[in-house]
Amino acid sequence: MARPRKPLLSTDLIVDAARALVDAEGLAALSTRRLAAELGVSGPSLYNHFPTKDQILEAVADSVSAQVDLSMFEDGRDWRTALHDWAVSYRAALRDHPNIVPVLARGPGRRPAGLRVADAAFGAMVSAGWPPAQATSIGALMRYFVMGSALGSFAGGFVDDAAAYDPADYPHLGQAHLLAEQQEKIDERAFETGLRALLDGLAVRFEGLGRGE
């Protein structure tokens, strides 16, 4: 029997194609009709795997959460190092797929990989000695910080036209037109600076726990 020209439709194949489409063109580009066309199948065939477009988006979001490394919570790293390394991996996953961040920002919902991320971070903080309520707050603030950093580029938000920064109006932005060409370096440095400052503050709080504060 001759082999089919196209691979059989599967959940993974649909999610991969949907993620590629969202990465390339944004959330608005995704529709079941467009996705079916990309896969070379009829629209109804998608419904055997995902009854709605929202379920496809949820699966795409979860596939990105699955890219976040969680090994640092299991290999004996102290809580501060683990949080740092997790945040770096978390941001890298979101940076590679920025268009899906608005869906991820809604929270994990029922998404398995998203719930595993939340469970691993919370469990590690409680095991390290953080009270559950504070461990919950740490998980929330880390998510706010990482997702906020992935939503856009600070440096990339400045145009590379020196004329846009008239010193009469913006006396302190004389070099702002140079920011865009150093976008990655500036954004990475800003993220690391903010992350270390955040962890410094948490370390002070953690020391206070031992003194009963």
Side-chain angles (χ1 to χ4, degrees), residues 53-134:
K53 186 185 84 168
D54 284 345
Q55 289 184 0
I56 296 174
L57 278 175
E58 288 290 300
V60 170
D62 212 36
S63 73
V64 173
S65 293
Q67 297 175 18
V68 180
D69 183 15
L70 301 177
S71 64
M72 66 287 297
F73 295 130
E74 303 168 352
D75 61 11
R77 274 173 262 192
D78 65 271
W79 70 265
R80 176 174 174 150
T81 302
L83 273 185
H84 175 277
D85 296 347
W86 173 59
V88 170
S89 176
Y90 197 173
R91 180 171 179 261
L94 301 189
R95 185 186 56 208
D96 289 343
H97 308 282
N99 292 334
I100 200 65
V101 172
V103 179
L104 287 164
R106 300 171 191 164
R110 297 177 181 273
R111 299 190 297 267
L115 289 170
R116 283 193 290 272
V117 170
D119 180 73
F122 176 78
M125 294 307 100
V126 171
S127 295
W130 286 98
Q134 292 193 42

Side-chain angles (χ1 to χ4, degrees), residues 1 8 13-14 21 25 33-34 41 49 56 61 68 73 75-76 87 90 134-135 145 155 157 163 169 185 196 199 209:
M1 181 181 295
L8 295 176
L13 192 64
I14 294 169
L21 182 57
E25 301 183 34
R33 177 177 295 183
R34 174 72 185 280
V41 300
H49 300 272
I56 296 174
V68 180
F73 295 130
D75 61 11
Y90 197 173
Q134 292 193 42
F145 177 71
D169 296 321
K185 177 181 178 181
R196 290 190 179 279
L199 294 173
L209 293 177

